[in-house]
Amino acid sequence: MEFVNQTVIGSKELAALSKGARKTMRRNRNRMVRTMAALVIALNVFFAWVSLRAGDSRWWLNGALALFLLVIVVWEDRLNGRFRAKHGLPDAREVTASFGPEGYTHVSKASDSRFTYDQIRMICETPEHFLFYLDRSLGQIYRKDGFTKGTAMAFREFIVQKTGLTVRNI
């Protein structure tokens, strides 16, 4: 069976790709970074409290820094998606992928690439997307409602059979 998917990649798709990589491929590094961020936020809140109690009028600087860091940690994936969308190639945003028995092609105005299923290291699924990770820094995303040939449910079974991997829900 053959599947064809057309996906327009925007900041929402890139945010989903970033979230998937953070939760799977870079899980251990992410845990360390988030622990350090929590420590720095807690220290800034503590220093703001101490400064306020001491009567220092600049206490709000530590509070503002803590709030700023908290926003970055919470919106990390969205910020990554927006940054990558802004700096990505405009010709690479519309992607057509054709999945056949031996491999798949990933075609956009900027490039034409061919992949085999054994290159896929991890497959993730969100309610709206399928995410393929070829390594820690290279991922591909396909919208579930973007299938022009085949269905998302049939594709899920197909890709599991071809790769031998389980699909992780995120």
Side-chain angles (χ1 to χ4, degrees):
M1 183 165 199
E2 188 173 324
F3 295 89
V4 176
N5 183 288
Q6 293 180 329
T7 300
V8 176
I9 299 174
S11 60
K12 182 179 178 181
E13 285 75 20
L14 292 170
L17 203 57
S18 177
K19 180 179 180 180
R22 180 176 55 81
K23 289 187 171 250
T24 58
M25 301 296 284
R26 296 189 300 251
R27 183 179 59 230
N28 291 334
R29 180 173 175 243
N30 177 62
R31 189 177 303 133
M32 181 182 64
V33 168
R34 289 202 171 216
T35 301
M36 291 299 294
L39 179 64
V40 170
I41 290 168
L43 282 172
N44 274 296
V45 168
F46 175 73
F47 291 145
W49 180 76
V50 168
S51 295
L52 181 65
R53 300 273 299 168
D56 188 356
S57 63
R58 295 172 291 173
W59 65 269
W60 64 271
L61 290 172
N62 287 98
L65 183 58
L67 183 63
F68 177 72
L69 292 173
L70 184 63
V71 166
I72 288 175
V73 168
V74 170
W75 288 353
E76 174 185 4
D77 300 321
R78 287 184 224 155
L79 293 172
N80 283 338
R82 286 188 182 183
F83 179 77
R84 289 189 180 199
K86 185 176 180 181
H87 293 89
L89 294 172
D91 290 342
R93 293 178 193 228
E94 294 180 24
V95 175
T96 301
S98 300
F99 298 87
E102 300 301 317
Y104 64 102
T105 59
H106 190 91
V107 179
S108 70
K109 291 179 184 176
S111 69
D112 184 1
S113 305
R114 180 146 179 79
F115 301 95
T116 59
Y117 295 114
D118 62 348
Q119 290 177 279
I120 301 171
R121 300 285 172 244
M122 185 168 296
I123 303 168
C124 298
E125 181 179 15
T126 69
E128 298 174 349
H129 305 97
F130 286 108
L131 312 168
F132 293 178
Y133 294 99
L134 300 148
D135 63 26
R136 286 182 53 175
S137 61
L138 179 59
Q140 300 166 336
I141 188 163
Y142 305 104
R143 289 192 59 85
K144 287 183 176 180
D145 62 2
F147 284 96
T148 58
K149 191 171 185 184
T151 65
M153 291 308 294
F155 177 74
R156 186 179 200 280
E157 294 173 16
F158 171 82
I159 203 67
V160 166
Q161 177 190 5
K162 288 294 180 182
T163 62
L165 300 171
T166 58
V167 177
R168 298 177 100 183
N169 289 316
I170 54 170

